[in-house]
PDB file of all heavy atoms in Angstrom:
ATOM      1  N   ILE P 928     -17.129  23.113  62.003  1.00  0.00           N
ATOM      2  CA  ILE P 928     -15.778  23.107  61.426  1.00  0.00           C
ATOM      3  C   ILE P 928     -15.412  24.564  61.185  1.00  0.00           C
ATOM      4  O   ILE P 928     -16.168  25.314  60.565  1.00  0.00           O
ATOM      5  CB  ILE P 928     -15.697  22.340  60.092  1.00  0.00           C
ATOM      6  CG1 ILE P 928     -16.150  20.890  60.266  1.00  0.00           C
ATOM      7  CG2 ILE P 928     -14.269  22.387  59.549  1.00  0.00           C
ATOM      8  CD1 ILE P 928     -16.209  20.116  58.958  1.00  0.00           C
ATOM      9  N   VAL P 929     -14.263  24.957  61.674  1.00  0.00           N
ATOM     10  CA  VAL P 929     -13.745  26.301  61.431  1.00  0.00           C
ATOM     11  C   VAL P 929     -12.457  26.166  60.613  1.00  0.00           C
ATOM     12  O   VAL P 929     -11.513  25.488  61.028  1.00  0.00           O
ATOM     13  CB  VAL P 929     -13.468  27.061  62.743  1.00  0.00           C
ATOM     14  CG1 VAL P 929     -12.748  28.380  62.458  1.00  0.00           C
ATOM     15  CG2 VAL P 929     -14.773  27.321  63.485  1.00  0.00           C
ATOM     16  N   TYR P 930     -12.459  26.789  59.436  1.00  0.00           N
ATOM     17  CA  TYR P 930     -11.263  26.835  58.597  1.00  0.00           C
ATOM     18  C   TYR P 930     -10.562  28.165  58.854  1.00  0.00           C
ATOM     19  O   TYR P 930     -11.044  29.221  58.433  1.00  0.00           O
ATOM     20  CB  TYR P 930     -11.634  26.751  57.122  1.00  0.00           C
ATOM     21  CG  TYR P 930     -12.197  25.424  56.681  1.00  0.00           C
ATOM     22  CD1 TYR P 930     -13.553  25.147  56.812  1.00  0.00           C
ATOM     23  CD2 TYR P 930     -11.376  24.448  56.126  1.00  0.00           C
ATOM     24  CE1 TYR P 930     -14.082  23.939  56.397  1.00  0.00           C
ATOM     25  CE2 TYR P 930     -11.889  23.233  55.708  1.00  0.00           C
ATOM     26  CZ  TYR P 930     -13.240  22.988  55.849  1.00  0.00           C
ATOM     27  OH  TYR P 930     -13.759  21.776  55.438  1.00  0.00           O
ATOM     28  N   ARG P 931      -9.442  28.114  59.541  1.00  0.00           N
ATOM     29  CA  ARG P 931      -8.675  29.326  59.792  1.00  0.00           C
ATOM     30  C   ARG P 931      -7.791  29.624  58.597  1.00  0.00           C
ATOM     31  O   ARG P 931      -7.080  28.742  58.094  1.00  0.00           O
ATOM     32  CB  ARG P 931      -7.807  29.172  61.043  1.00  0.00           C
ATOM     33  CG  ARG P 931      -8.572  29.200  62.349  1.00  0.00           C
ATOM     34  CD  ARG P 931      -7.628  29.114  63.530  1.00  0.00           C
ATOM     35  NE  ARG P 931      -6.622  30.164  63.514  1.00  0.00           N
ATOM     36  CZ  ARG P 931      -5.538  30.179  64.294  1.00  0.00           C
ATOM     37  NH1 ARG P 931      -5.313  29.183  65.144  1.00  0.00           N
ATOM     38  NH2 ARG P 931      -4.665  31.170  64.225  1.00  0.00           N
ATOM     39  N   VAL P 932      -7.837  30.844  58.111  1.00  0.00           N
ATOM     40  CA  VAL P 932      -7.002  31.238  56.980  1.00  0.00           C
ATOM     41  C   VAL P 932      -5.603  31.514  57.508  1.00  0.00           C
ATOM     42  O   VAL P 932      -5.365  32.497  58.216  1.00  0.00           O
ATOM     43  CB  VAL P 932      -7.571  32.480  56.279  1.00  0.00           C
ATOM     44  CG1 VAL P 932      -6.658  32.904  55.131  1.00  0.00           C
ATOM     45  CG2 VAL P 932      -8.984  32.191  55.770  1.00  0.00           C
ATOM     46  N   LEU P 933      -4.695  30.607  57.198  1.00  0.00           N
ATOM     47  CA  LEU P 933      -3.314  30.684  57.690  1.00  0.00           C
ATOM     48  C   LEU P 933      -2.355  30.426  56.531  1.00  0.00           C
ATOM     49  O   LEU P 933      -1.898  29.305  56.324  1.00  0.00           O
ATOM     50  CB  LEU P 933      -3.074  29.651  58.796  1.00  0.00           C
ATOM     51  CG  LEU P 933      -3.697  29.907  60.164  1.00  0.00           C
ATOM     52  CD1 LEU P 933      -3.466  28.711  61.083  1.00  0.00           C
ATOM     53  CD2 LEU P 933      -3.083  31.156  60.792  1.00  0.00           C
ATOM     54  N   PRO P 934      -2.014  31.438  55.758  1.00  0.00           N
ATOM     55  CA  PRO P 934      -1.117  31.210  54.629  1.00  0.00           C
ATOM     56  C   PRO P 934       0.329  30.938  55.033  1.00  0.00           C
ATOM     57  O   PRO P 934       1.096  30.379  54.239  1.00  0.00           O
ATOM     58  CB  PRO P 934      -1.228  32.512  53.831  1.00  0.00           C
ATOM     59  CG  PRO P 934      -1.705  33.533  54.811  1.00  0.00           C
ATOM     60  CD  PRO P 934      -2.550  32.806  55.792  1.00  0.00           C
ATOM     61  N   ASP P 935       0.714  31.311  56.261  1.00  0.00           N
ATOM     62  CA  ASP P 935       2.099  31.120  56.715  1.00  0.00           C
ATOM     63  C   ASP P 935       2.308  29.678  57.171  1.00  0.00           C
ATOM     64  O   ASP P 935       1.724  29.244  58.173  1.00  0.00           O
ATOM     65  CB  ASP P 935       2.394  32.078  57.861  1.00  0.00           C
ATOM     66  CG  ASP P 935       3.811  31.930  58.405  1.00  0.00           C
ATOM     67  OD1 ASP P 935       4.613  31.187  57.801  1.00  0.00           O
ATOM     68  OD2 ASP P 935       4.112  32.552  59.438  1.00  0.00           O
ATOM     69  N   PRO P 936       3.132  28.903  56.458  1.00  0.00           N
ATOM     70  CA  PRO P 936       3.340  27.495  56.840  1.00  0.00           C
ATOM     71  C   PRO P 936       3.854  27.329  58.260  1.00  0.00           C
ATOM     72  O   PRO P 936       3.446  26.415  58.977  1.00  0.00           O
ATOM     73  CB  PRO P 936       4.369  27.007  55.814  1.00  0.00           C
ATOM     74  CG  PRO P 936       4.217  27.920  54.644  1.00  0.00           C
ATOM     75  CD  PRO P 936       3.870  29.252  55.233  1.00  0.00           C
ATOM     76  N   GLY P 937       4.747  28.209  58.688  1.00  0.00           N
ATOM     77  CA  GLY P 937       5.277  28.104  60.038  1.00  0.00           C
ATOM     78  C   GLY P 937       4.222  28.317  61.098  1.00  0.00           C
ATOM     79  O   GLY P 937       4.234  27.675  62.157  1.00  0.00           O
ATOM     80  N   ALA P 938       3.283  29.201  60.821  1.00  0.00           N
ATOM     81  CA  ALA P 938       2.198  29.452  61.772  1.00  0.00           C
ATOM     82  C   ALA P 938       1.320  28.225  61.926  1.00  0.00           C
ATOM     83  O   ALA P 938       0.822  27.941  63.030  1.00  0.00           O
ATOM     84  CB  ALA P 938       1.366  30.651  61.306  1.00  0.00           C
ATOM     85  N   LYS P 939       1.132  27.487  60.854  1.00  0.00           N
ATOM     86  CA  LYS P 939       0.318  26.266  60.946  1.00  0.00           C
ATOM     87  C   LYS P 939       0.988  25.225  61.834  1.00  0.00           C
ATOM     88  O   LYS P 939       0.339  24.583  62.658  1.00  0.00           O
ATOM     89  CB  LYS P 939       0.069  25.707  59.541  1.00  0.00           C
ATOM     90  CG  LYS P 939      -0.902  26.537  58.725  1.00  0.00           C
ATOM     91  CD  LYS P 939      -1.287  25.853  57.445  1.00  0.00           C
ATOM     92  CE  LYS P 939      -0.267  26.005  56.357  1.00  0.00           C
ATOM     93  NZ  LYS P 939      -0.289  27.333  55.716  1.00  0.00           N
ATOM     94  N   ALA P 940       2.293  25.033  61.651  1.00  0.00           N
ATOM     95  CA  ALA P 940       3.010  24.064  62.474  1.00  0.00           C
ATOM     96  C   ALA P 940       2.948  24.446  63.948  1.00  0.00           C
ATOM     97  O   ALA P 940       2.707  23.598  64.819  1.00  0.00           O
ATOM     98  CB  ALA P 940       4.463  23.961  62.002  1.00  0.00           C
ATOM     99  N   ALA P 941       3.143  25.730  64.241  1.00  0.00           N
ATOM    100  CA  ALA P 941       3.104  26.183  65.633  1.00  0.00           C
ATOM    101  C   ALA P 941       1.717  25.986  66.229  1.00  0.00           C
ATOM    102  O   ALA P 941       1.582  25.578  67.390  1.00  0.00           O
ATOM    103  CB  ALA P 941       3.515  27.657  65.704  1.00  0.00           C
ATOM    104  N   ALA P 942       0.671  26.266  65.450  1.00  0.00           N
ATOM    105  CA  ALA P 942      -0.692  26.119  65.951  1.00  0.00           C
ATOM    106  C   ALA P 942      -1.051  24.660  66.218  1.00  0.00           C
ATOM    107  O   ALA P 942      -1.816  24.358  67.143  1.00  0.00           O
ATOM    108  CB  ALA P 942      -1.677  26.743  64.970  1.00  0.00           C
ATOM    109  N   LEU P 943      -0.522  23.747  65.425  1.00  0.00           N
ATOM    110  CA  LEU P 943      -0.717  22.321  65.706  1.00  0.00           C
ATOM    111  C   LEU P 943      -0.087  21.946  67.039  1.00  0.00           C
ATOM    112  O   LEU P 943      -0.675  21.203  67.833  1.00  0.00           O
ATOM    113  CB  LEU P 943      -0.106  21.473  64.589  1.00  0.00           C
ATOM    114  CG  LEU P 943      -0.906  21.335  63.300  1.00  0.00           C
ATOM    115  CD1 LEU P 943      -0.025  20.788  62.193  1.00  0.00           C
ATOM    116  CD2 LEU P 943      -2.105  20.406  63.511  1.00  0.00           C
TER     117      LEU P 943
END
Side-chain angles (χ1 to χ4, degrees):
I928 302 175
V929 172
Y930 292 86
R931 287 183 56 192
V932 178
L933 287 174
D935 179 8
K939 288 189 279 283
L943 281 165

